[in-house]
Amino acid sequence: MRIALVYPPTCDPTAPYLAVPMLTGFLRANGVEVLPVDANVEAFDALLSPGSMAGLRDRLEARLGELDRRPALPHADQLEYLALARARGDAHAVPAAIDKAKATLRSSDGFHDPDAYARAVATIEAALSVVSATHHPLKLDFTAYRTPFGLLSMDEIARSSRPEHDPFDGWVQQTLVPRLRDARADIVGLSVCFPGQLQPAYAFALKIKQALPGVHVTCGGPGVTQMLLRLSGERLARALGPFDSACLFEGEHTLLALARALDEGRPLRDVPNVVARDRLMGARFLSGHGMEDLKALPAPDFDGLPLHAYLAPALVLPYDPTRGCYWGKCTFCHYGLAEVGTAAYRERAVETIVAHLGALAARHGTRHFYLSQDSVAPKTLVKMAQAIIDAGLDVRWATDLKPEKYLTQERADVLRRAGAVACALGVESASPRVLGLIDKGAPVEVVSDVIDHLASAGVAAEAMCFTDFPTETHAEAVATLDFLRARREALAVYIVGEFGLTHGSLVAQAPERFGIDEVFALEGDELGLGLFFVPREPWKTDAERADVDARLADLSRGWTLRSYPWAGAVSTAHTILQYDRFGPGVFRDRAARRPPEGVPDAEALERGLRFDPRAAEQAEAREAEIWATLVHEERRVGRDAYEALARSLPPLRPRPVRVRFVAGAAPAVTSGRRPSHATSAAR
């Protein structure tokens, strides 16, 4: 029995993720032949190449020319026209610059030069904007793969998987399918850990089944588990789509049992936690124990992955000393491998952790690790750190950590001596009332002390916060920002997100406790991925929300912050490597610098357009109004419902202009009439 384990886009291409190596190590230890494939980094590497980007440049020009020949542009075409115009400068600059950008990120000298690094990141983000524009209405980055209708139904999933809509189609057809065929894989398992992987995973499965109909294609991971465990019967069967089965919860024993059942010809309906089709019920699964005994599992096995291909100058390996969350009470949290909240907490033995880290460091020539788990108990982390010191192991590592009174200055010093470079702290809010609703169990005073202790020890203290938890007032949101500002000299970086409701959180289970009158899903959302709510009364006015955003923007000027997965984001490989070279204050020290913008050596070009892109910008506000109507008034989604509203919107008439295009900048109209914003202008 040969199993290919595939990690699909879209995810962080700077370091391997833990899921496939953990399954690989377990299956190989049980005599199963495994082909691990990090399709995320490989497919992005192929997509972000000179030839591919030149092809997309030509595709952009052809599509712009096609739209320019039309007598008028309806609403959807206006959005596409605007996206293409905005990406035109990038499209012409990126093909010549993309290889250098990737080489910079893989080179120690280039990576650690702040200007070279900024140019490389700008080039890659410009390339992603071109990919998105040429596959409109796709929005693609390293965390998300978003289309308006893509995950509403299997018909829409199949539509988004067509070659003209799927930027990864060429890599799947020309590289992945032949590799699977040559390996004679009996089972192909797609590991879906994040929502951004769902549409690519479905697309991969469709194409694999078409090319290799005899292969059993399965899927698993948090992204799949969170979605499928809420469905049943025919709805569950439809959600399987091109997959022959799905593995729910933690996958080691479930995937092994699936493989053995297939090898022996036994029915899958008898295998716990495996979703299989059923003639009478549509699809079902036999619920079983969903959590592994971590002490009995081997170390992750990275052999066979393209460890040279990641966009980083040094290899940062993930490792899981624990699973689950020892606190497990936070009311906002639902981490995928549990029906509600988080999975039960488990630990490896400290001596096993140290042995695994030492062996992985020696085998792969690295000393950088990210301890990847929900939340490790501080007491266990300190024990592990002391064991690393006692063993004389030269490693550098970072982890997520719940702030606890236990983490004294002396213990923070132990972490640093053991190689800790960063700890990302679940701060959440600086409002005592909001923290009580969250049930965080960490008073603001304790959080502040832990930040100070880590900073004094030379460990980068990273703060993870969010605003808009149900009933949070404007003053309470501002208190969180003020907390961060007051600790600028101690905090290395931070993130302030925005609350989002998830199905398995305690807030969703008991919304009345949190000032929520109603939780609702949308008609037409067959997979049930969207979840919306109606507050009992508004928590903030629009003006107050705008004020919070303005204060956050002002606060951010004190650090050089970037979005995931770049240096300056919380808990990323790039950030860890920058700390290790320059110390925990690197992103504060660089705050006064103005990094170069745009693609290096990009030349401006001037072209004529038949439609004024400034007028097309009005379509963006109309688009937001359509979705507000669908979600909050009609409470239904789908292509027909959308198009019924879009048809009533005014078309864009020709208004020829000359436009200057340059990478990294908005198109600038150089000649032509100024568009009218009068209500009669569309006639």
Side-chain angles (χ1 to χ4, degrees), residues 59 93 114 131 148 175-176 193 264 343 351 377 394 423 474 504 512 599:
R59 173 173 168 157
V131 175
T175 301
L176 180 60
C193 299
E264 297 164 7
E351 58 272 17
D394 181 20
C423 289
H474 171 261
E512 67 282 355
V599 181

Side-chain angles (χ1 to χ4, degrees), residues 71-95:
L73 298 181
H75 173 73
D77 287 349
Q78 293 174 45
L79 293 171
E80 182 179 8
Y81 193 84
L82 184 60
L84 293 168
R86 286 173 173 170
R88 196 178 205 175
D90 292 331
H92 283 264
V94 163

Side-chain angles (χ1 to χ4, degrees), residues 335-572:
Y335 189 75
L337 295 173
E339 292 189 36
V340 177
T342 56
Y345 184 65
R346 290 143 289 156
E347 298 179 345
R348 297 184 190 267
V350 167
E351 58 272 17
T352 302
I353 296 171
V354 175
H356 284 171
L357 292 175
L360 289 169
R363 180 166 186 80
H364 298 292
T366 185
R367 63 176 187 170
H368 295 98
F369 292 90
Y370 181 73
L371 304 184
S372 178
Q373 71 278 301
D374 296 344
S375 185
V376 58
K379 189 174 294 186
T380 299
L381 192 67
V382 172
K383 288 180 181 177
M384 182 202 78
Q386 188 59 58
I388 288 174
I389 295 169
D390 294 343
L393 190 59
D394 181 20
V395 291
R396 300 290 182 271
W397 52 270
T399 191
D400 290 0
L401 195 62
K402 179 177 177 291
E404 296 278 19
K405 191 175 182 179
Y406 178 84
L407 199 63
T408 62
Q409 185 64 63
E410 180 183 9
R411 289 167 177 146
D413 291 338
V414 172
L415 300 185
R416 178 56 183 161
R417 293 204 311 274
V421 296
C423 289
L425 304 173
V427 175
E428 322 310 357
S429 172
S431 162
R433 187 189 72 86
V434 173
L435 286 175
L437 285 172
I438 291 174
D439 198 5
K440 188 66 185 180
V444 176
E445 297 77 17
V446 169
V447 175
S448 183
D449 288 344
V450 171
I451 291 172
D452 288 341
H453 295 159
L454 290 170
S456 296
V459 178
E462 302 178 335
M464 298 183 291
C465 313
F466 62 89
T467 60
D468 265 9
F469 188 80
T471 75
E472 180 199 64
T473 66
H474 171 261
E476 288 169 332
V478 170
T480 299
L481 304 186
D482 288 345
F483 175 88
L484 299 176
R485 188 186 302 277
R487 286 150 188 82
R488 180 183 180 277
E489 295 307 313
L491 280 173
V493 295
Y494 69 86
I495 184 171
V496 178
E498 192 171 9
F499 171 79
L501 186 63
T502 55
H503 285 277
S505 68
L506 294 175
V507 176
Q509 304 300 308
E512 67 282 355
R513 288 175 48 199
F514 302 92
I516 294 175
D517 266 352
E518 182 185 7
V519 174
F520 65 94
L522 301 177
E523 177 188 342
D525 180 7
E526 293 183 9
L527 300 183
L529 293 172
L531 192 63
F532 303 88
F533 64 91
V534 178
R536 191 169 303 141
E537 58 185 38
W539 306 320
K540 300 180 186 70
T541 66
D542 289 344
E544 287 174 335
R545 292 181 192 279
D547 179 68
V548 171
D549 290 342
R551 290 171 184 258
L552 180 57
D554 180 66
L555 174 69
S556 299
R557 296 187 182 96
W559 290 263
T560 299
L561 303 177
R562 288 189 177 88
S563 59
Y564 189 89
W566 307 120
V570 172
S571 299
T572 70

Side-chain angles (χ1 to χ4, degrees), residues 228-229 231-241 275 282-285:
L228 296 185
L229 64 81
L231 307 178
S232 60
E234 291 298 333
R235 196 176 178 195
L236 179 59
R238 288 196 300 273
L240 276 179
V275 178
R284 65 187 182 98
F285 68 95

Side-chain angles (χ1 to χ4, degrees), residues 109-141:
D109 289 343
F111 177 87
H112 291 108
D113 178 322
D115 288 348
Y117 182 87
R119 286 190 289 266
V121 169
T123 300
I124 290 176
E125 291 191 335
L128 294 177
S129 76
V130 174
V131 175
S132 297
T134 52
H135 295 83
H136 184 82
L138 174 64
K139 301 294 184 184
L140 174 74
D141 56 33

